[in-house]
Amino acid sequence: MSPVSPPTTPTDSLGPQSVPPATTPVGHDGARVAIAERAAWAVDGFIALLVALLLTGGAVGCLLLRTPFLVGTVLLAFLAAVICSSLTVVQPGQTKVIQFFGRYVGTIRRPGLVMAMPFSSKQTLSVRVNNFETSALKVNDFDGNPVEIAAIVVWQVADTAKATFAVENYANFVKVQSEAALRHVATTHPYDDPEEAGTSLRGSTDIVSAELASEVAQRVAVAGVEIIEVRISHLAYAPEIAGAMLQRQQASAIVAARSRIVEGAVGMVQLALAKLEQESIVELDDERRAAMVSNLLVVLCGEQKTTPIINTGSLYS
């Protein structure tokens, strides 16, 4: 018996082909910048400024006294210049991202005058709360109806290293990803749910906002951004179907109102008949009872004011 050959993958002119698993990410492996924020070395700037002033005073004194130690004078002046160039001011709500010859060293979050690593570049990055409103997007809801929707996104930089190095422009990145998440969430819910059997964009605002905030947060996590809140600011049917949808809403409201009126009228008729029988005011056969019920329903459910006709003869005439 000949041995069974192992299965082979389909090939073409370029070589073997393999179908990647569903969990394989799209793109090149390792393309994402793996970096996280860490604290940078820093000392009190006022102490460093005092040391720089002392060194400068020493260098000036050596020059005035014309001491033969020229190298020491130059060294004191050089150290004072290095310390002064390392001083930086950090405003409240801002940080300094420190790089040493292109390498990320750390982030300074302490506000005030500080001294960072000498010969390093310092980039200011705000960690204040930001917000913006997305443009009004035209999407199809779960039922396929075109709707216009917009949202307000409140966000803040949580990881300064990722915001600086992981993406090109973190502010624009947040805006684009927020609109993409808004478009996706809008397609998973209907605009309205008259039967109140599930969620809808109009009736379940809190649920939709929480779902939207969660999806936006997942999309912008690579940029080191934290989503504080997302709220829908504009929601309406598209102009081409707004008139038809308004008529449908009006029809639904009319049907609901009529149903409530009929329910109340039937209860009033039952109460009137029961009261007449209880007080023995009049005895009605089935035919007269049906006529009375019909007249009462016409009076109670009619849209226009009715004009009664008084019968002065017999009840059966």
Side-chain angles (χ1 to χ4, degrees), residues 167-209:
V167 294
E168 187 67 27
N169 186 334
Y170 66 91
N172 184 68
F173 184 82
V174 172
K175 181 178 180 180
V176 174
Q177 293 301 322
S178 298
E179 292 184 353
L182 177 61
R183 186 180 298 274
H184 176 260
V185 171
T187 59
T188 59
H189 298 279
Y191 178 89
D192 200 1
D193 186 15
E195 299 179 357
E196 298 182 356
T199 60
S200 62
L201 296 176
R202 189 178 68 87
S204 307
T205 306
D206 294 336
I207 298 177
V208 174
S209 297

Side-chain angles (χ1 to χ4, degrees), residues 47-68:
I47 297 177
L49 180 61
L50 179 60
V51 173
L53 293 177
L54 293 177
L55 293 175
T56 303
V60 173
C62 291
L63 289 177
L64 294 177
L65 295 177
R66 297 181 180 181
T67 59

Side-chain angles (χ1 to χ4, degrees), residues 263-284 288-297 299-300:
E263 181 181 355
V266 171
M268 294 175 67
V269 170
Q270 291 177 348
L271 181 61
L273 294 177
K275 195 69 174 176
L276 289 174
E277 293 180 356
Q278 182 180 358
E279 299 293 337
S280 300
I281 297 176
V282 64
E283 294 183 1
L284 300 175
R288 296 302 175 181
R289 183 188 298 270
M292 183 177 181
V293 170
S294 176
N295 293 334
L296 287 176
L297 288 178
V299 172
L300 295 175

Side-chain angles (χ1 to χ4, degrees), residues 119-175:
F119 307 107
S120 61
S121 61
K122 309 168 188 65
Q123 179 179 348
T124 302
L125 185 66
S126 175
V127 291
R128 298 167 181 167
V129 177
N130 296 269
N131 72 94
F132 70 94
E133 184 176 10
T134 65
S135 56
L137 304 178
K138 185 177 180 181
V139 298
N140 292 333
D141 66 353
F142 183 78
D143 295 332
N145 300 318
V147 298
E148 292 182 351
I149 186 171
I152 297 178
V153 182
V154 184
W155 59 278
Q156 182 182 25
V157 174
D159 193 312
T160 58
K162 290 182 179 180
T164 304
F165 304 109
V167 294
E168 187 67 27
N169 186 334
Y170 66 91
N172 184 68
F173 184 82
V174 172
K175 181 178 180 180

Side-chain angles (χ1 to χ4, degrees), residues 146 148 236-250:
E148 292 182 351
Y237 282 112
E240 57 266 24
I241 67 166
M245 290 302 173
L246 180 59
Q247 292 179 358
R248 190 183 73 173
Q249 292 178 355
Q250 291 175 347

